[in-house]
Every structure is written in structure tokens, then in C-alpha cells.
Amino acid sequence: MLGNLHPLPKLALCLIWIGASVLVFDLRFQLVTLTLAFGLLWGLQRVALWKLLALMVPFALFGFGFLTTSVLFNAESGFALQMANEQALAAPDISPGLVLFTRALACGMVSALFALTTDPGGLVRALMVHLRLPAPVGFALMQAMHLVPDLAREMQVLRMARAMRLGRPMRRLPGPGEVMALTIPLLAFAIRRATRAALAMEARGLRPNAPRTQREILPFQTRDGLAFGMGVGVLAAVLWLV
Amino acid sequence: MSDVLACDGVAVRYPFAAADAVGPLTLRLARGDRVLLLGPSGCGKSTLLQALTGLIPAALPGARRGQLHLFGQPVESRSPADWAAQVAFLFQDADQTLAGFTLADELAFALENRALPPDDIAARVAQAMAQAGLHPDWMGRRIATLSGGQKQMVALTAVLAQGADLVVADEPTASLAPGAAKMMADLLLAPGKTVLIVDHRLGPVLDRIDRVVVLGRDGQTLAEGPPDKVFASHGADLAAQGIWTPLATRLRLALAAQGVSVPAVVQVADLVAHLPPHADLAPLLLPAACQSGTETLRLNRVDCAPPFGPVVLRNISLGLRAGEVLGILGPNGAGKSTLAACLAGLIPPRAGQRTGPPGAMAFQNADSHFAAETTRAECLAMGVPAADCAALLAGWGLDHVATQHPFSLSAGQKRRLALALLTATDRWPVLVLDEPTAGLDHAGTTRIAGHIRRLAGMGKTLAVITHDADFALSVCDRVIVLAEGRVQADGPARTVLRDTALLQRCGLAPPEAAPLLHWMDRTPC
């Protein structure tokens, strides 16, 4: 359902929520934001729980830094905690570390909500059509998105070749030494691939600043306006309640 | 009416190179000409194609001499991108040159760049997809989810959608299974189209081209004319330069060496009609019999999946013997490379059991094998004693590139170096080769085939993935056909490769030599 919404109003709404999450230093607001985004993904979009939890790992690690600093080293808690505590919409009775922790998770979950319900190609096309993102930049972004799975495939082949050379079975996940050894070959692969893609795009007529049309322009629909309005309305209501 | 393409004395030289990469040569294409550009690996075919729309020197470093005109205008009068409205370009490594995020994006890309109306673009995209037999549901499919062969099909379909007056295609069928290759050759080389194509695989294109232009090792024109005449009159010259010629031409020359004279025909069917009963075709088509030993490797009810990917092959059971060469055939995306990695023990099976010693795999992209600065250093890194390196490289015809960086070698040299490294020690009794002949000229392919049989004779267990049924017939003792997630056939190469119904059902095609096998069965020894 959320996947059918136009990516740009959805992006704007998510950015507004993230902005509010950054500005409002209140545990209740962060929890509501986190719960709402989680509920939409798990309940409405049927995203697997393990996937959501896995996606939150980097945000949790980031937030955990604030939490441990606040709890274990309260006296030495850093400038960030101090500033956060002095924000206009702060609720100072709650540990600032806990608020920062939930804020990291809330922002992460809203980001996941956007990423998991948006077609990346559609987003880039919408940016090119409605926000005048230059076509070469747009297609470079698409190439970057192609590059990720290609790099993963190349890395697997390089790892297999390395395992053969070293005469030992390939581990499921690469260790630090292996990552270091693979960095330069992968970088070289990425440069080679990007060069070929740029050449092919030029040969197929992509020019900077030249007029071009779009096969399909995703129109703004009433449901996009309604969804945007509803999102802003819920945000206003939550802010009023907290 | 002026020519579509006119090259007069065109030569291209790369920076710091002592000699031209290609040319000087003269070449003309009129509207409706379908021309095949042939030549040995490294003779400058791809370089010439890249110079045609000015990519060299505009986007790639290099200097061009001579006069080059497209549609009557000097090629340098427009940028390469401006020529895209009239010239569609298909690159050799199609899977790395796709621009869109989804299939529909890809097919529409060049048309959008021409600022065509959206309705027109949609109609052209739908028409091209229907022509190429791509299901409309594929329209929104992400490019990243396609296999290498499927990406090549998409790239070809995008060229068709472009509807350009001239199509320039660099090895368009190299990664395609035979069924798909034939269909795409039908579309690309339909009568009335103006096409300049480089392809080592003659089978799908030979009867669809009007003219063949052959470049020699020096990058200059060796022969030009209708295919029948060129292969009849220059067959021996082409063979001497390691250039692919039709099977009938190669056999005619080989039979001549046996003292058997047959007319200069290009089609195998025509050759069969002229074969005398005493002609000995077996050594020309089939591998020399090797004594296979005990079973060295077994997969027992194995499910295969790429790392972190879904299971693509289920319940695979097969065994390989020492001294046996197993051919693995299947349509694009059938899971051949995944099975290869499981056979080599590089990817553990998701279910079932693999028993046998660790194996080595020669990857499609040979670059993945190399980590040292010179060819010789690669040998040393593999544990070969310094005193033995020169002999090892000489044995694989690589002694003259011992001091070169492995990345600077030709495709054939890289494949040979990878095989040399994997067989330099006794570490791996099992070897799996993933498309070892893709993009190689005839000399390179023959050399690889010779090494495969030599290694089998030494008792190694080999598995070879290939789309080339004739190559499989010439090197493999046994063949399996993969399709729809399982093994569809497993048996002697000579038997499986003549099961036309099975092969067609799996998107494959019987070898060009199939009528000759029938002839051998009919003719008493």
C-alpha cells in the first residue's frame, strides 16, 4: 500500500518526521515515532520482523554509544548530551542518553519505512522529472545502485579465488585481513565498471543539458495528498499530546 | 545514395603504442548490408567499432587516422552521443553497460535521450519486448536480478527498441544459450537491417549475413566478400591465423590433410553429401578416448545456492571419475556456475552431501585469479619453484609474457594463465572451468581444448561449463543438461547432444556436427 504512493511526498513526509524527531527531545515522542513507523512496516507492509531488527542494528549501535555514555559516565557525558538536554522541547526528567538512543532508532525506523516502501528507480526518475535532477546524475545514481549487487558478486568470486590460493575453505563472512586484501581489487573493479557504463551511456545518447523525455511520469494523485496530509496531521497531534 | 558507413584508410593507435591497434583499412556499408567482421583475438575489431561513432578519440584515449563518414557526414562532425539517433551500439560486455534500473528503463533509455514522445517510447518498448519474446511482466524487473545471459538479451532488445539505421554489435551472442542466440541473431540480422557485427560464434549468424570482412593479426583486411566465397578461397589462410571458420570449412581442410578431397562448402549438410565412406571424422569431432579411473567426487542429493541467495538447483546427484571430462550445459540462468562452485567445493551445499577432495575453479572472468604484478610472480605465489616457472609458462604458451602484468594479457592468455596456475601443483585433482572459451578465437579455443584433454589424460577430473555444443562434443566424455532447477539429462556427450527434443526444450541446440555424427553411425568403419 505504501509502495503505491508517489515517492516525493513520501520523502517529504519522512524528512519532516525525522526533522521533528531531531528537534523534539522527548522520550514519548521518540517512542511514538518508532512505534508508528514499526507498526506501518510490520503490520501494514508485512515486512519480516527479523529484517526490521537487522536493519535497526547499526542505528542501535549508534544510539547505544549515547546510552552507555549517559548511564556509565554521567559526569563526563559529552557536549552532545549537554546540548541535547538544553533543547527547547526537552523533557529533562528523562535520561538524555535514553532519549538519544530512542531518537537514533526512531530516525532509523522512519528511514527504513521510506527505503522499504519506495522503488529506488522510481525515486530517481521522480527527482529527474519534478526536481530537475540532471539526467547524468540520475543515471549515475542508478549505476551506483547496480554496482552494489555487482560488487557483492565480484567479492564472492574474489573470495573463492583467494580461498583456492590459500588452500582453505571460504569462511561465511570475511575477516578483517580478507577485507583489506579485497579492497583494492574491488575498487579497481568498481572503477572499470563505472568507466564502461559511462562510455555506454554516452554511446546511447545521454548528454548533459540536452532535452530528454520520460517513458512514464508517475503523476501525483489524490491519495498522495491525503497520505501526506494524514502524516502531517498525526505528527501535529502527537506533538500536541506530548 | 551515399554509404551508411565509409572508412577510407582508417587506423587507430593507442597512446604510447608503437603500432596501430587496427588498420589502415577501407570498409563500406550500404543501406541493408549485414556485415560480419572476423579476426583473431587482439586484431583490433572492438577498437575499430569504438572508433566508428567517434568514441575513440572523443571518450577513449587514442588517435585515429584516415577518413571516416557516417551517413555521408564526417564522424567527427558530431559527438558520439549525437550519433546515437542513427547508430545503435551494443558493447561486448553488455552486462556491465546497462543504464536503467528496471528492464523498462533500460529499453527506453536511448529513446528518452532522443526526446521521443512518451507514447512512442512505450509502443517501441512493448514491440521490442514482444519481438524478443520477453514477457510483459518482466517490464518492471530489476536489472540486478538478471543473469549475465539475460542481461545480454536485454541489451540486445534495447538495441532493437532503439530502431537506429545502423547497428554496431560487438559479440552480441557470446553469453547466450544457443536457443536465445539464434533468436537474437534472427532479430538483429533480419533482412533490410544495416548491421556491422563482430562475433566469434559463426553458427547463429553465418546464414544471415551478406558479407564477411576478415582482419588479419596485423589489423588489416585479409579478405572480404560473400561468406561462401571467402571461406572457400581463404579458409586455409583464416585457419592459419587462428580465425573461426565454419565447421564445414575446418573439416574440409582437415580431411584434405588425410588425403580426402571434398568440395568447398560452408554448410555441414552440404559436406555430408560429399563425404567418401573412408573419411575418418572421429578424431576431428570427438575426444580421444581416455581411460577413466575411480570415482573421485560425488554430489549426493545436493541443493545448490549462491552465497546468501536462494536455492537454484535441487536434489542433484552425480559422480565424477578421474580422467573424465564432464560438460555442463543449460540455458541462461540455469544455475551452471552455482553447480560449478559446489562441485569445486567452494560453496557448501545447502542440503545433501559433497564427498571428494577440494577442487579448483577457473572463473569466467579470469582476472579474479590474479593478485601478483607479473605472470611469473603469479606462478611463484602459487608455490611453483622459481626454476620451474619458465618451463610451466612455456608449456602453456605464455613464456613471452612472463614479465607482463596479468591484467595486460589477452582474454585467451588470461584463461591459459589461470589454468596453468590451477594445474601447476597437485593441490587440486578436480578442476571446474566456467565457460573457458567464451570470446576466444579458434586458435585460443583449440589450445584450451588440447589442454583439457591433456589434463584428463593425466588423471584430473574436469567439469566444463559451455554454451558451445560443438566444443562440448569435442572435449567432453559425458554431458549433463541443467534446466528448471534440476538435471534434465546425464549421459555420454555423443548421445545427449543428439537429443534434439531435449535440447530444444531446454533452450539449447544440437551441435553443428550432429549430421556428421549421424553420418558416422550410418557409415560402416
Side-chain angles (χ1 to χ4, degrees), chain A residues 115 118-122 124-125 128 135 138-147 149-150 153-174 185 188-189 192-208 210-217, chain B residues 50 53 55 58-60 79-82 84 87 89 91 93 95-102 104-119 121-122 125 139 142-144 146 151 158 162 307-308 341 346-347 359-363 365 367-371 378 382 407 422 427-428:
Chain A
T118 306
D119 168 35
V124 173
R125 281 192 169 273
M128 287 195 288
F139 282 99
L141 283 173
M142 290 198 202
Q143 279 301 317
M145 289 187 271
H146 276 312
L147 193 60
D150 281 1
R153 265 193 295 271
E154 181 67 12
M155 187 174 80
Q156 286 304 330
V157 174
L158 288 171
R159 291 189 65 212
M160 284 194 267
R162 187 178 147 85
M164 281 192 307
R165 271 199 304 273
L166 297 176
R168 62 187 185 208
M170 192 171 75
R171 288 192 296 184
R172 186 163 169 79
L173 293 171
F189 170 82
R192 266 202 313 272
R193 196 197 175 295
T195 307
R196 286 174 189 164
L199 194 68
M201 285 198 269
E202 182 171 1
R204 294 172 65 195
L206 185 65
R207 287 157 294 186
R212 81 188 293 283
T213 47
Q214 295 282 342
R215 167 183 60 87
E216 189 179 33
I217 296 173
Chain B
Q50 285 166 350
T53 57
L55 284 170
L60 289 167
S79 72
D82 288 333
V87 184
F89 201 117
F91 285 83
D93 40 9
D95 65 324
Q96 294 193 9
T97 54
L98 302 181
F101 195 70
T102 62
D105 287 341
E106 185 57 38
L107 301 187
F109 179 72
L111 304 171
E112 291 175 341
N113 290 336
R114 285 163 62 184
L116 295 183
D119 291 345
I121 295 174
V125 167
M139 192 87 94
R142 290 189 183 182
I143 296 289
L146 304 177
K151 285 179 184 171
Q162 204 171 329
F308 308 108
L346 293 168
I347 299 178
M361 183 168 168
F363 299 107
N365 179 9
D367 289 358
S368 309
H369 290 278
F370 309 137
E378 290 286 357
M382 197 50 83
F407 283 8
L422 297 178
R427 201 188 293 176
W428 300 291

Side-chain angles (χ1 to χ4, degrees), chain B residues 167-213:
Chain B
V167 175
V168 176
D170 198 351
E171 298 199 32
T173 64
S175 301
L176 295 182
K182 183 181 174 305
M183 185 184 71
M184 296 314 287
D186 280 341
L187 293 170
L188 196 64
L189 296 165
K193 290 193 182 286
T194 311
V195 185
L196 178 61
I197 183 173
V198 168
D199 212 332
H200 284 304
R201 281 172 80 179
L202 298 180
V205 302
L206 194 61
D207 56 354
R208 295 169 180 80
I209 54 166
D210 307 309
R211 192 155 47 100
V212 59
V213 175

Side-chain angles (χ1 to χ4, degrees), chain A residues 109-124:
Chain A
M109 196 61 82
V110 174
S111 306
L113 177 71
F114 179 75
L116 294 177
T117 61
T118 306
D119 168 35
L123 172 66
V124 173

